[in-house]
Amino acid sequence: MITTLRAALAPGHPPLVMLHGMLGSPSSFAPVLDTLSYPGAIAAVTLPGHGTPAAKLHGSFSANVHAVAASLPRECYLLGYSLGGRMALGIAALAAHAPLGVIAIGAHPGLAPEEREARRSWEREQSTQLSRGLDGFVRHWEALPLFRTQSPAARDAQRQARLEHEPAALGRAFEELGSGAMPSLVDGLAHFSGPICMMAGALDDAYVAHAKRAARLLPRLSTVLVPAAGHNPIIETPVALARLCDERLRTFTNQREETHELAQL
């Protein structure tokens, strides 16, 4: 399901579609929305396994990618955070109708084979924990080291939205959409003709490393570090993140216009 977050500020610009993280929702992007100056319409997708009633799951990471891709406008930019970033990269790598460009925040294009099984086991544990109740799971989730840089106020601001999901569907989402279930997207992304930017909070060591590794594997990919942010710059440094996203989207737009002009020659 796509939710319109903001109408276009000016005609002639492709829409920007946002994909939220695990336990997130379209409202997760509210902290950056007012500051983002991109002139196209802005929308967000409720990802499979999320929301109430839960958006339909499709059995595998690739099947879910294709289902989300089918719901998108034919020409759009994608901005995804964490799970949403991996889904955005998946759409660029696997879908028949690729986006115009992708900004992936706190994401990666696939784990190394030796890391994948350990991650899959961890995701099965999360699914089991969810079966014991959503409230306790959300508190467990908020305490993960990944989110150590978030202030208590930022953490608390997300809690109500995180509680507005169906535990059983979220458990399945961990098993179908998690990093352990995700294939390597590197080969598909190597054939993607649009621009890709991997962003990571400068304090998010693991995802800084993921971004650097992706840049080594995909030389056309650009990387941007968000100063003073950890894993979730959307709530930690929203103004800085919006500025960096606007800069990158302007670059995407300029590249698209130059390509179009060359095609007319």
Side-chain angles (χ1 to χ4, degrees):
M1 182 179 72
I2 293 187
T3 301
T4 299
L5 300 180
R6 194 197 72 193
L9 303 177
H13 297 273
L16 172 66
V17 181
M18 298 177 162
L19 309 180
H20 61 75
M22 190 69 79
L23 274 75
S25 69
S27 66
S28 300
F29 294 100
V32 298
L33 201 58
D34 289 341
T35 311
L36 204 61
S37 65
Y38 178 69
I42 300 177
V45 176
T46 300
L47 292 180
H50 291 73
T52 307
K56 183 179 178 181
L57 285 148
H58 298 271
S60 70
F61 184 86
S62 296
N64 283 298
V65 161
H66 286 293
V68 172
S71 73
L72 298 175
R74 185 62 177 266
E75 290 195 338
C76 66
Y77 294 121
L78 295 181
L79 187 156
Y81 160 66
S82 198
L83 162 62
R86 292 188 292 104
M87 293 289 286
L89 294 171
I91 292 167
L94 303 173
H97 300 299
L100 298 173
V102 172
I103 298 174
I105 305 165
H108 58 72
L111 297 176
E114 62 272 16
E115 299 174 294
R116 198 171 296 143
E117 187 51 45
R119 184 67 182 187
R120 194 165 195 133
S121 176
W122 182 85
E123 286 157 353
R124 285 193 291 263
E125 290 173 10
Q126 307 317 297
S127 183
T128 300
Q129 288 219 29
L130 268 162
S131 69
R132 299 173 187 144
L134 184 56
D135 186 73
F137 179 81
V138 167
R139 294 184 183 279
H140 152 77
W141 185 254
E142 291 171 344
L144 291 175
L146 186 67
F147 305 125
R148 70 188 185 284
T149 55
Q150 295 178 13
S151 69
R155 178 199 63 211
D156 294 346
Q158 301 172 88
R159 183 171 296 145
Q160 187 53 47
R162 285 173 165 168
L163 290 169
E164 293 174 358
H165 297 293
E166 297 177 0
L170 272 184
R172 283 185 57 207
F174 269 100
E175 298 195 32
E176 293 187 20
L177 303 177
S179 296
M182 173 183 168
S184 173
L185 304 173
V186 172
D187 288 347
L189 291 174
H191 293 94
F192 175 61
S193 61
I196 303 172
C197 176
M198 300 276 286
M199 290 191 181
L203 306 179
D204 187 7
D205 295 342
Y207 283 85
V208 169
H210 281 309
K212 290 179 177 178
R213 176 176 178 270
R216 290 194 297 271
L217 295 171
L218 298 161
R220 292 177 55 246
L221 177 148
S222 62
T223 60
V224 173
L225 300 187
V226 185
H231 186 64
N232 191 346
I234 297 167
I235 61 170
E236 295 178 48
T237 56
V239 174
L241 177 65
R243 177 179 57 79
L244 292 168
C245 288
D246 276 327
E247 290 174 359
R248 192 52 44 179
L249 288 165
R250 280 194 293 272
T251 300
F252 287 4
T253 300
N254 291 340
Q255 290 174 352
R256 181 168 176 260
E257 290 173 351
E258 290 168 3
T259 301
H260 178 73
E261 287 170 2
L262 287 171
Q264 303 306 306
L265 295 176

